[in-house]
Each structure stands twice: as C-alpha cells, then as structure tokens.
C-alpha cells in the first residue's frame, strides 16, 4: 500500500509511524527536514506543502494509491481536490469540507442550520466598526477570533487575554488592520468550564471516536502566558478524562456525528480525522471549534496507542475497506513539547538539539520530531514546537513519569518545556474547577 503523507511536523511524524507499523510504503512531502518522517520514507519531496503542481507530479511519478494530509494549509489550498482528480484516494477532506475549520463562520452557521447541540452565541463581521459596536452591547463576555486560519494562535478571550473593553476593541482593529485570518472577525460567546478534545475518524457517513485528550495552550506553567499551538496534552487509559463522565463524552461524539451528517447533506462529505474542541460547561459540552484534521499535539497521544492498523483506517475512511471497530491500547499518555526559547512571543530558532531516541523509547516514551531542520549535519530548532515526547503508562501518573524520563535524554541550550502537564496537581485543579462549575 503506497501512501503519500503531506506535512513535516510532529503530528505528521506520529501518523507516519502509525502507517509504518501497519506496513505501508510511505512517500512524504514536507518543507523542512524531519529525520523521523524521512527515515520511514521510500522517497521524499521537499517543497511548500501547498505546492499542488509539484505534489501531484510527485504522486504520479511514484504511483501513489492513498494520501493523508496533516496540516490545515494544504487542505485549504485544495491539495485533496487535486489528488482526487488523479484518482488517488485521500483520507483527508476536500477544501469544501475543510471549511469546517478554514471558516469559523461556516462552522457556526452549519451548526445553526442543522440545529446541532452545543452551539454558542456568535456574530460575524466584515468591518471593524460593526464588530466594535457589537461588543459594546453584547450581554456576555466574548471570544474574539479571526474567521480564517491563524495556526491556532488567533483567539483572544475577555477575562483572559483581553482584560477590558478597550483591549477587545484594539484586538478587533488589529485583526482587520493586519488582515489576520482573512481580515474578518467572529465574536463568540465565552464558554466557562474545562476544554477537551474529542477526535473521530469518519468515512463521510460513520464515525469511530478516539480517546479524549486535553491540550494545554498557554506557554508557561500554571496556565500562564500567551496562547500557543499547544504545549502538550494527556489522555487516560479508559478513553475518558478525570473530570469528564462518559455521558458528556457521548454528547460530544453525537455532535461530531451530526456535523458529519450535515456536511454530507451539504454535498461536501467529510472523510478523514476530525477534531472537535469542546468546553465542558454546567450545561454540557459546547463547541469551541471543529478542525479538519488531527489535533496537534493530540494526534501524538492517540496514534501512539492506536492498535488497529492505521492503513486499515485509511482504507476505511476512503471507502475501500469495511471496518467494524477502531481500537486503542488501554494505556494513558502524557505528551510534552520541547519548544524553542521565546515560543509564543518570539521564537529563537537555529539552536542545536542532541537526543538519544533509543534511550527515550527504553524509558517508556515515544519521540516525534516537529519544527526542526538539519543544518550542516546537526539537528536544530525551528520557529515552532520542536520535539514531542509522549510517555505511556497504565495510569496518567506513570505516563507522566515516563515522559519526564524521556525528556531527560534531550539536550539543548535554548528550549522550554511545560513540565506541569499531566501532573497530579494540575489535573486536580481541573477536577476542582469542574466541580465548582457544576455545583
């Protein structure tokens, strides 16, 4: 089975490792040098990940049968549409289906149109003046978001990053002045509770849920500092999280299924992994966003413990195989990202990383390369998250210890890590917060 993978980050490295475990013959497209991905590949194309012509030529040359796209930018550019036209079966959504992520307005309007549970109050604006007038009168705290893609870093929330009305207005102006995310803004009701991620695999009709994961967006320990693409995440052995009962998880799964059904009804069926980010509130799960891909870092958690061959899931998502279930090992995971110093504000790339991957794995963890490159034969940090380490264990506590052991085998003089992710103290903080929210 020849599979083309697109993307050079840790999310894609995790997918490539899962494909390799399943016996796939892998061909990869990536803009950086990722030694983990490339060590598994039969052939490599270094180019921009939305360079459709070069990607299609590479696919034709290598007689590719299936494709999997990791990042959102090539999905938005229509890479899947172009590969579809060549007869290559894609386990990723078309650009029309990917609007569930590439346009936050499209997502909210779809959920409204089909009466899907979990929506929040919202309004979209094409000009700053109207958006500013709205936030002056809206009766609740809001989240301010560019409508389009911002790499997971464009959201600011009142009472959090935005401390008053003046800062909210200034951020709205910044979005329009800089054309951030396409220069349009959506103002959403702020949801109070605990965030969680429910991802699913889908073939456009049916879904298979993945274990719940909780990501940590803030750059610094104690949930402080600027928002990032995600500093790390954890999952539990039973597929739930310590503060989420199965009843609420099932509600999130139903919401994902109804979104898949709605996209099918809209004549843009969705195939591939889908990422549902939710807030568990006193009234149940509320939709924060839906993404047209695996989450990052959450992909590392779930793919590390995936026991069903990923090749079978790819074939099922593309309609070429029947599948009765998707199974995961009953293990907990804790992922912590090594990031370049300054990440979240101004990264300091280009610093040499030394690591012992075998030693990491011997200590009960997996290692995935992210935003790295190879310069003069040395592994160096990029501008984003560099290396993900995923500890695995029977409990979250054991997985966290194994993650820390793995991290000890990686050295660099200009990196940062959130060591508090997956610790008992931080998880108890989440449990206590949810108890207070729900009374």
């Amino acid at each position: 089975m020849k599979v083309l993978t697109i993307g050079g980050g840790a999310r894609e490295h995790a997918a490539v490792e899962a494909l390799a475990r399943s016996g796939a013959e892998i061909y990869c497209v990536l803009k950086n040098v990722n030694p983990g991905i490339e060590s598994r590949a039969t052939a490599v194309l270094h180019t921009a990940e939305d360079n459709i012509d070069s990607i299609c030529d590479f696919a034709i040359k290598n007689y590719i049968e299936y494709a999997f796209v990791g990042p959102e930018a090539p999905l938005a550019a229509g890479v899947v549409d172009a590969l579809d036209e060549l007869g290559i079966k894609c386990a990723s959504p078309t650009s029309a289906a990917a609007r569930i992520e590439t346009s936050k307005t499209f997502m909210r309007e779809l959920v409204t149109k089909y009466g899907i549970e979990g929506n929040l109050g919202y309004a979209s604006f094409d000009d700053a003046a109207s958006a500013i007038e709205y936030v002056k009168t809206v009766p609740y705290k809001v989240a301010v978001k560019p409508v389009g893609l911002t790499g997971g870093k464009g959201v600011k929330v009142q009472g959090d990053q935005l401390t008053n009305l003046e800062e909210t207005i200034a951020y709205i102006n910044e979005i329009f002045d800089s054309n951030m995310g396409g220069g349009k803004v959506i103002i959403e009701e702020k949801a109070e509770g605990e965030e969680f991620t429910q991802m699913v695999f889908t073939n456009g009709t049916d879904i298979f849920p993945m274990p719940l994961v909780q990501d940590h967006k803030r750059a610094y320990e104690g949930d402080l500092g600027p928002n990032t693409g995600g500093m790390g995440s954890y999952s539990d052995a039973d597929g739930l999280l310590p503060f989420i009962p199965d009843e609420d998880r099932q509600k999130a799964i139903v919401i994902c299924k109804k979104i898949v059904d709605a996209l099918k009804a809209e004549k843009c069926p969705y195939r591939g992994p889908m990422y549902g980010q939710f807030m568990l509130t006193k009234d149940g799960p509320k939709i924060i966003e839906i993404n047209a891909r695996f989450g990052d870092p959450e992909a590392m958690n779930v793919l590390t413990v995936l026991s069903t061959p990923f090749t079978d899931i790819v074939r099922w998502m593309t309609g070429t195989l029947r599948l009765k279930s998707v199974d995961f090992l009953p293990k907990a995971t804790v992922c912590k990202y090594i990031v370049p110093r300054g990440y979240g504000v101004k990264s300091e790339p280009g610093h040499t990383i030394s690591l012992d991957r075998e030693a990491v794995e011997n200590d009960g963890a997996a290692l995935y390369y992210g935003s790295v490159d190879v310069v003069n034969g040395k592994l160096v940090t990029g501008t984003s998250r560099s290396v993900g380490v995923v500890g695995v264990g029977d409990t979250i506590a054991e997985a966290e210890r194994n993650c820390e052991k793995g991290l000890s085998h990686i050295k660099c003089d200009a990196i940062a890590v959130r060591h508090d992710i997956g610790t008992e103290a931080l998880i108890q903080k989440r449990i206590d917060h949810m108890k207070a929210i729900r009374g």
Side-chain angles (χ1 to χ4, degrees), residues 376-408:
N376 297 324
K378 293 183 177 180
L379 186 72
V380 299
T381 57
T383 58
S384 190
R385 299 164 293 176
S386 303
V387 180
V389 174
V390 181
V392 180
D394 291 331
T395 64
I396 295 174
E398 182 184 7
E400 195 275 332
R401 289 194 296 270
N402 289 341
C403 180
E404 286 292 327
K405 290 178 188 176
L407 288 168
S408 71

PDB file of all heavy atoms in Angstrom, residues 376-408:
ATOM      1  N   ASN A 376      24.081  21.505   8.355  1.00  0.00           N
ATOM      2  CA  ASN A 376      25.461  21.013   8.485  1.00  0.00           C
ATOM      3  C   ASN A 376      25.524  19.727   9.307  1.00  0.00           C
ATOM      4  O   ASN A 376      26.418  19.536  10.144  1.00  0.00           O
ATOM      5  CB  ASN A 376      26.357  22.087   9.124  1.00  0.00           C
ATOM      6  CG  ASN A 376      26.458  23.335   8.262  1.00  0.00           C
ATOM      7  OD1 ASN A 376      26.476  23.258   7.028  1.00  0.00           O
ATOM      8  ND2 ASN A 376      26.520  24.491   8.899  1.00  0.00           N
ATOM      9  N   GLY A 377      24.522  18.875   9.065  1.00  0.00           N
ATOM     10  CA  GLY A 377      24.500  17.582   9.720  1.00  0.00           C
ATOM     11  C   GLY A 377      24.005  17.589  11.145  1.00  0.00           C
ATOM     12  O   GLY A 377      23.993  16.543  11.807  1.00  0.00           O
ATOM     13  N   LYS A 378      23.583  18.763  11.648  1.00  0.00           N
ATOM     14  CA  LYS A 378      23.119  18.854  13.027  1.00  0.00           C
ATOM     15  C   LYS A 378      21.631  19.174  13.066  1.00  0.00           C
ATOM     16  O   LYS A 378      21.138  19.974  12.282  1.00  0.00           O
ATOM     17  CB  LYS A 378      23.914  19.921  13.787  1.00  0.00           C
ATOM     18  CG  LYS A 378      25.387  19.574  13.988  1.00  0.00           C
ATOM     19  CD  LYS A 378      26.087  20.641  14.810  1.00  0.00           C
ATOM     20  CE  LYS A 378      27.544  20.267  15.073  1.00  0.00           C
ATOM     21  NZ  LYS A 378      28.241  21.312  15.890  1.00  0.00           N
ATOM     22  N   LEU A 379      20.933  18.559  14.029  1.00  0.00           N
ATOM     23  CA  LEU A 379      19.506  18.823  14.232  1.00  0.00           C
ATOM     24  C   LEU A 379      19.361  20.159  14.956  1.00  0.00           C
ATOM     25  O   LEU A 379      19.995  20.381  16.002  1.00  0.00           O
ATOM     26  CB  LEU A 379      18.896  17.700  15.060  1.00  0.00           C
ATOM     27  CG  LEU A 379      17.380  17.732  15.249  1.00  0.00           C
ATOM     28  CD1 LEU A 379      16.668  17.380  13.950  1.00  0.00           C
ATOM     29  CD2 LEU A 379      16.967  16.755  16.355  1.00  0.00           C
ATOM     30  N   VAL A 380      18.539  21.055  14.397  1.00  0.00           N
ATOM     31  CA  VAL A 380      18.368  22.374  15.005  1.00  0.00           C
ATOM     32  C   VAL A 380      16.888  22.691  15.181  1.00  0.00           C
ATOM     33  O   VAL A 380      16.028  22.164  14.473  1.00  0.00           O
ATOM     34  CB  VAL A 380      19.040  23.489  14.164  1.00  0.00           C
ATOM     35  CG1 VAL A 380      20.532  23.255  14.042  1.00  0.00           C
ATOM     36  CG2 VAL A 380      18.393  23.604  12.789  1.00  0.00           C
ATOM     37  N   THR A 381      16.593  23.575  16.123  1.00  0.00           N
ATOM     38  CA  THR A 381      15.224  24.003  16.375  1.00  0.00           C
ATOM     39  C   THR A 381      14.726  24.894  15.246  1.00  0.00           C
ATOM     40  O   THR A 381      15.484  25.654  14.649  1.00  0.00           O
ATOM     41  CB  THR A 381      15.126  24.785  17.698  1.00  0.00           C
ATOM     42  OG1 THR A 381      16.032  25.906  17.654  1.00  0.00           O
ATOM     43  CG2 THR A 381      15.468  23.913  18.875  1.00  0.00           C
ATOM     44  N   GLY A 382      13.413  24.799  14.985  1.00  0.00           N
ATOM     45  CA  GLY A 382      12.756  25.722  14.064  1.00  0.00           C
ATOM     46  C   GLY A 382      12.090  26.828  14.854  1.00  0.00           C
ATOM     47  O   GLY A 382      12.443  27.095  16.010  1.00  0.00           O
ATOM     48  N   THR A 383      11.090  27.461  14.255  1.00  0.00           N
ATOM     49  CA  THR A 383      10.412  28.567  14.925  1.00  0.00           C
ATOM     50  C   THR A 383       9.223  28.110  15.765  1.00  0.00           C
ATOM     51  O   THR A 383       8.699  28.874  16.571  1.00  0.00           O
ATOM     52  CB  THR A 383       9.908  29.596  13.904  1.00  0.00           C
ATOM     53  OG1 THR A 383       9.028  28.942  12.975  1.00  0.00           O
ATOM     54  CG2 THR A 383      11.075  30.222  13.141  1.00  0.00           C
ATOM     55  N   SER A 384       8.794  26.862  15.572  1.00  0.00           N
ATOM     56  CA  SER A 384       7.635  26.362  16.308  1.00  0.00           C
ATOM     57  C   SER A 384       8.051  25.176  17.174  1.00  0.00           C
ATOM     58  O   SER A 384       9.236  24.985  17.453  1.00  0.00           O
ATOM     59  CB  SER A 384       6.507  25.996  15.337  1.00  0.00           C
ATOM     60  OG  SER A 384       5.307  25.727  16.027  1.00  0.00           O
ATOM     61  N   ARG A 385       7.080  24.357  17.574  1.00  0.00           N
ATOM     62  CA  ARG A 385       7.319  23.271  18.520  1.00  0.00           C
ATOM     63  C   ARG A 385       8.264  22.233  17.928  1.00  0.00           C
ATOM     64  O   ARG A 385       8.030  21.718  16.849  1.00  0.00           O
ATOM     65  CB  ARG A 385       5.982  22.665  18.913  1.00  0.00           C
ATOM     66  CG  ARG A 385       5.063  23.671  19.600  1.00  0.00           C
ATOM     67  CD  ARG A 385       3.623  23.216  19.646  1.00  0.00           C
ATOM     68  NE  ARG A 385       3.021  23.162  18.325  1.00  0.00           N
ATOM     69  CZ  ARG A 385       1.792  22.730  18.084  1.00  0.00           C
ATOM     70  NH1 ARG A 385       1.054  22.299  19.074  1.00  0.00           N
ATOM     71  NH2 ARG A 385       1.325  22.724  16.852  1.00  0.00           N
ATOM     72  N   SER A 386       9.334  21.921  18.660  1.00  0.00           N
ATOM     73  CA  SER A 386      10.459  21.186  18.078  1.00  0.00           C
ATOM     74  C   SER A 386      10.344  19.673  18.182  1.00  0.00           C
ATOM     75  O   SER A 386      10.500  18.964  17.188  1.00  0.00           O
ATOM     76  CB  SER A 386      11.763  21.638  18.740  1.00  0.00           C
ATOM     77  OG  SER A 386      11.942  23.021  18.603  1.00  0.00           O
ATOM     78  N   VAL A 387      10.127  19.166  19.393  1.00  0.00           N
ATOM     79  CA  VAL A 387      10.099  17.719  19.619  1.00  0.00           C
ATOM     80  C   VAL A 387       8.996  17.401  20.624  1.00  0.00           C
ATOM     81  O   VAL A 387       8.896  18.045  21.667  1.00  0.00           O
ATOM     82  CB  VAL A 387      11.450  17.209  20.175  1.00  0.00           C
ATOM     83  CG1 VAL A 387      11.388  15.699  20.412  1.00  0.00           C
ATOM     84  CG2 VAL A 387      12.595  17.553  19.229  1.00  0.00           C
ATOM     85  N   GLY A 388       8.172  16.418  20.294  1.00  0.00           N
ATOM     86  CA  GLY A 388       7.150  15.941  21.217  1.00  0.00           C
ATOM     87  C   GLY A 388       7.575  14.631  21.849  1.00  0.00           C
ATOM     88  O   GLY A 388       8.027  13.719  21.140  1.00  0.00           O
ATOM     89  N   VAL A 389       7.462  14.543  23.168  1.00  0.00           N
ATOM     90  CA  VAL A 389       7.760  13.301  23.882  1.00  0.00           C
ATOM     91  C   VAL A 389       6.468  12.822  24.531  1.00  0.00           C
ATOM     92  O   VAL A 389       5.815  13.573  25.261  1.00  0.00           O
ATOM     93  CB  VAL A 389       8.854  13.508  24.936  1.00  0.00           C
ATOM     94  CG1 VAL A 389       9.051  12.238  25.764  1.00  0.00           C
ATOM     95  CG2 VAL A 389      10.169  13.903  24.267  1.00  0.00           C
ATOM     96  N   VAL A 390       6.099  11.569  24.269  1.00  0.00           N
ATOM     97  CA  VAL A 390       4.855  11.000  24.780  1.00  0.00           C
ATOM     98  C   VAL A 390       5.182   9.836  25.705  1.00  0.00           C
ATOM     99  O   VAL A 390       5.644   8.783  25.262  1.00  0.00           O
ATOM    100  CB  VAL A 390       3.945  10.513  23.629  1.00  0.00           C
ATOM    101  CG1 VAL A 390       2.650   9.950  24.194  1.00  0.00           C
ATOM    102  CG2 VAL A 390       3.662  11.639  22.659  1.00  0.00           C
ATOM    103  N   GLY A 391       4.941  10.035  26.988  1.00  0.00           N
ATOM    104  CA  GLY A 391       5.079   8.945  27.938  1.00  0.00           C
ATOM    105  C   GLY A 391       3.830   8.082  27.929  1.00  0.00           C
ATOM    106  O   GLY A 391       2.710   8.587  27.791  1.00  0.00           O
ATOM    107  N   VAL A 392       4.012   6.780  28.072  1.00  0.00           N
ATOM    108  CA  VAL A 392       2.903   5.816  28.065  1.00  0.00           C
ATOM    109  C   VAL A 392       2.941   5.026  29.367  1.00  0.00           C
ATOM    110  O   VAL A 392       4.014   4.654  29.852  1.00  0.00           O
ATOM    111  CB  VAL A 392       3.012   4.863  26.857  1.00  0.00           C
ATOM    112  CG1 VAL A 392       1.863   3.866  26.846  1.00  0.00           C
ATOM    113  CG2 VAL A 392       3.054   5.646  25.547  1.00  0.00           C
ATOM    114  N   GLY A 393       1.760   4.777  29.948  1.00  0.00           N
ATOM    115  CA  GLY A 393       1.705   4.008  31.185  1.00  0.00           C
ATOM    116  C   GLY A 393       0.307   3.502  31.465  1.00  0.00           C
ATOM    117  O   GLY A 393      -0.648   3.853  30.761  1.00  0.00           O
ATOM    118  N   ASP A 394       0.193   2.699  32.496  1.00  0.00           N
ATOM    119  CA  ASP A 394      -1.119   2.186  32.888  1.00  0.00           C
ATOM    120  C   ASP A 394      -1.986   3.284  33.500  1.00  0.00           C
ATOM    121  O   ASP A 394      -3.214   3.192  33.482  1.00  0.00           O
ATOM    122  CB  ASP A 394      -0.955   1.045  33.890  1.00  0.00           C
ATOM    123  CG  ASP A 394      -0.359  -0.208  33.256  1.00  0.00           C
ATOM    124  OD1 ASP A 394      -0.580  -0.411  32.040  1.00  0.00           O
ATOM    125  OD2 ASP A 394       0.342  -0.955  33.962  1.00  0.00           O
ATOM    126  N   THR A 395      -1.351   4.297  34.060  1.00  0.00           N
ATOM    127  CA  THR A 395      -2.055   5.437  34.643  1.00  0.00           C
ATOM    128  C   THR A 395      -1.446   6.728  34.105  1.00  0.00           C
ATOM    129  O   THR A 395      -0.330   6.720  33.562  1.00  0.00           O
ATOM    130  CB  THR A 395      -1.923   5.439  36.171  1.00  0.00           C
ATOM    131  OG1 THR A 395      -0.529   5.615  36.512  1.00  0.00           O
ATOM    132  CG2 THR A 395      -2.445   4.141  36.777  1.00  0.00           C
ATOM    133  N   ILE A 396      -2.165   7.834  34.276  1.00  0.00           N
ATOM    134  CA  ILE A 396      -1.619   9.129  33.866  1.00  0.00           C
ATOM    135  C   ILE A 396      -0.339   9.423  34.637  1.00  0.00           C
ATOM    136  O   ILE A 396       0.640   9.931  34.074  1.00  0.00           O
ATOM    137  CB  ILE A 396      -2.661  10.243  34.071  1.00  0.00           C
ATOM    138  CG1 ILE A 396      -3.865  10.029  33.155  1.00  0.00           C
ATOM    139  CG2 ILE A 396      -2.040  11.612  33.787  1.00  0.00           C
ATOM    140  CD1 ILE A 396      -5.009  11.007  33.383  1.00  0.00           C
ATOM    141  N   ALA A 397      -0.316   9.088  35.933  1.00  0.00           N
ATOM    142  CA  ALA A 397       0.874   9.345  36.754  1.00  0.00           C
ATOM    143  C   ALA A 397       2.089   8.601  36.212  1.00  0.00           C
ATOM    144  O   ALA A 397       3.194   9.162  36.118  1.00  0.00           O
ATOM    145  CB  ALA A 397       0.603   8.945  38.202  1.00  0.00           C
ATOM    146  N   GLU A 398       1.906   7.335  35.821  1.00  0.00           N
ATOM    147  CA  GLU A 398       3.020   6.565  35.267  1.00  0.00           C
ATOM    148  C   GLU A 398       3.441   7.138  33.915  1.00  0.00           C
ATOM    149  O   GLU A 398       4.639   7.248  33.619  1.00  0.00           O
ATOM    150  CB  GLU A 398       2.630   5.089  35.112  1.00  0.00           C
ATOM    151  CG  GLU A 398       3.772   4.223  34.593  1.00  0.00           C
ATOM    152  CD  GLU A 398       3.377   2.772  34.348  1.00  0.00           C
ATOM    153  OE1 GLU A 398       2.171   2.452  34.459  1.00  0.00           O
ATOM    154  OE2 GLU A 398       4.268   1.972  34.039  1.00  0.00           O
ATOM    155  N   ALA A 399       2.475   7.500  33.083  1.00  0.00           N
ATOM    156  CA  ALA A 399       2.788   8.084  31.778  1.00  0.00           C
ATOM    157  C   ALA A 399       3.562   9.393  31.944  1.00  0.00           C
ATOM    158  O   ALA A 399       4.507   9.668  31.186  1.00  0.00           O
ATOM    159  CB  ALA A 399       1.505   8.320  30.991  1.00  0.00           C
ATOM    160  N   GLU A 400       3.184  10.195  32.950  1.00  0.00           N
ATOM    161  CA  GLU A 400       3.874  11.466  33.181  1.00  0.00           C
ATOM    162  C   GLU A 400       5.311  11.224  33.617  1.00  0.00           C
ATOM    163  O   GLU A 400       6.242  11.908  33.157  1.00  0.00           O
ATOM    164  CB  GLU A 400       3.098  12.269  34.233  1.00  0.00           C
ATOM    165  CG  GLU A 400       3.490  13.743  34.308  1.00  0.00           C
ATOM    166  CD  GLU A 400       4.679  14.011  35.192  1.00  0.00           C
ATOM    167  OE1 GLU A 400       4.898  13.229  36.144  1.00  0.00           O
ATOM    168  OE2 GLU A 400       5.418  14.992  34.933  1.00  0.00           O
ATOM    169  N   ARG A 401       5.525  10.248  34.461  1.00  0.00           N
ATOM    170  CA  ARG A 401       6.896   9.925  34.892  1.00  0.00           C
ATOM    171  C   ARG A 401       7.735   9.456  33.717  1.00  0.00           C
ATOM    172  O   ARG A 401       8.897   9.858  33.557  1.00  0.00           O
ATOM    173  CB  ARG A 401       6.867   8.847  35.983  1.00  0.00           C
ATOM    174  CG  ARG A 401       6.340   9.325  37.328  1.00  0.00           C
ATOM    175  CD  ARG A 401       6.654   8.310  38.429  1.00  0.00           C
ATOM    176  NE  ARG A 401       5.978   7.037  38.218  1.00  0.00           N
ATOM    177  CZ  ARG A 401       4.766   6.743  38.680  1.00  0.00           C
ATOM    178  NH1 ARG A 401       4.073   7.650  39.366  1.00  0.00           N
ATOM    179  NH2 ARG A 401       4.237   5.545  38.474  1.00  0.00           N
ATOM    180  N   ASN A 402       7.152   8.628  32.854  1.00  0.00           N
ATOM    181  CA  ASN A 402       7.883   8.130  31.695  1.00  0.00           C
ATOM    182  C   ASN A 402       8.182   9.256  30.696  1.00  0.00           C
ATOM    183  O   ASN A 402       9.239   9.262  30.054  1.00  0.00           O
ATOM    184  CB  ASN A 402       7.112   7.004  31.018  1.00  0.00           C
ATOM    185  CG  ASN A 402       7.105   5.731  31.844  1.00  0.00           C
ATOM    186  OD1 ASN A 402       7.936   5.561  32.743  1.00  0.00           O
ATOM    187  ND2 ASN A 402       6.168   4.830  31.566  1.00  0.00           N
ATOM    188  N   CYS A 403       7.261  10.201  30.585  1.00  0.00           N
ATOM    189  CA  CYS A 403       7.506  11.358  29.726  1.00  0.00           C
ATOM    190  C   CYS A 403       8.709  12.146  30.241  1.00  0.00           C
ATOM    191  O   CYS A 403       9.588  12.539  29.460  1.00  0.00           O
ATOM    192  CB  CYS A 403       6.260  12.244  29.670  1.00  0.00           C
ATOM    193  SG  CYS A 403       6.438  13.703  28.624  1.00  0.00           S
ATOM    194  N   GLU A 404       8.757  12.398  31.540  1.00  0.00           N
ATOM    195  CA  GLU A 404       9.876  13.138  32.120  1.00  0.00           C
ATOM    196  C   GLU A 404      11.203  12.382  31.943  1.00  0.00           C
ATOM    197  O   GLU A 404      12.240  12.990  31.670  1.00  0.00           O
ATOM    198  CB  GLU A 404       9.615  13.421  33.598  1.00  0.00           C
ATOM    199  CG  GLU A 404       8.587  14.509  33.835  1.00  0.00           C
ATOM    200  CD  GLU A 404       9.092  15.886  33.392  1.00  0.00           C
ATOM    201  OE1 GLU A 404      10.308  16.155  33.503  1.00  0.00           O
ATOM    202  OE2 GLU A 404       8.260  16.692  32.925  1.00  0.00           O
ATOM    203  N   LYS A 405      11.165  11.061  32.092  1.00  0.00           N
ATOM    204  CA  LYS A 405      12.375  10.273  31.831  1.00  0.00           C
ATOM    205  C   LYS A 405      12.834  10.462  30.385  1.00  0.00           C
ATOM    206  O   LYS A 405      14.019  10.622  30.103  1.00  0.00           O
ATOM    207  CB  LYS A 405      12.107   8.795  32.098  1.00  0.00           C
ATOM    208  CG  LYS A 405      11.908   8.418  33.551  1.00  0.00           C
ATOM    209  CD  LYS A 405      11.593   6.926  33.650  1.00  0.00           C
ATOM    210  CE  LYS A 405      11.198   6.501  35.052  1.00  0.00           C
ATOM    211  NZ  LYS A 405      10.801   5.068  35.095  1.00  0.00           N
ATOM    212  N   GLY A 406      11.860  10.427  29.463  1.00  0.00           N
ATOM    213  CA  GLY A 406      12.204  10.624  28.057  1.00  0.00           C
ATOM    214  C   GLY A 406      12.795  11.993  27.787  1.00  0.00           C
ATOM    215  O   GLY A 406      13.777  12.129  27.031  1.00  0.00           O
ATOM    216  N   LEU A 407      12.228  13.010  28.395  1.00  0.00           N
ATOM    217  CA  LEU A 407      12.727  14.374  28.202  1.00  0.00           C
ATOM    218  C   LEU A 407      14.168  14.522  28.661  1.00  0.00           C
ATOM    219  O   LEU A 407      14.922  15.346  28.124  1.00  0.00           O
ATOM    220  CB  LEU A 407      11.843  15.366  28.961  1.00  0.00           C
ATOM    221  CG  LEU A 407      10.450  15.625  28.384  1.00  0.00           C
ATOM    222  CD1 LEU A 407       9.601  16.389  29.391  1.00  0.00           C
ATOM    223  CD2 LEU A 407      10.532  16.402  27.069  1.00  0.00           C
ATOM    224  N   SER A 408      14.581  13.721  29.648  1.00  0.00           N
ATOM    225  CA  SER A 408      15.940  13.842  30.184  1.00  0.00           C
ATOM    226  C   SER A 408      17.010  13.463  29.171  1.00  0.00           C
ATOM    227  O   SER A 408      18.188  13.795  29.361  1.00  0.00           O
ATOM    228  CB  SER A 408      16.084  12.974  31.442  1.00  0.00           C
ATOM    229  OG  SER A 408      16.094  11.591  31.112  1.00  0.00           O
TER     230      SER A 408
END
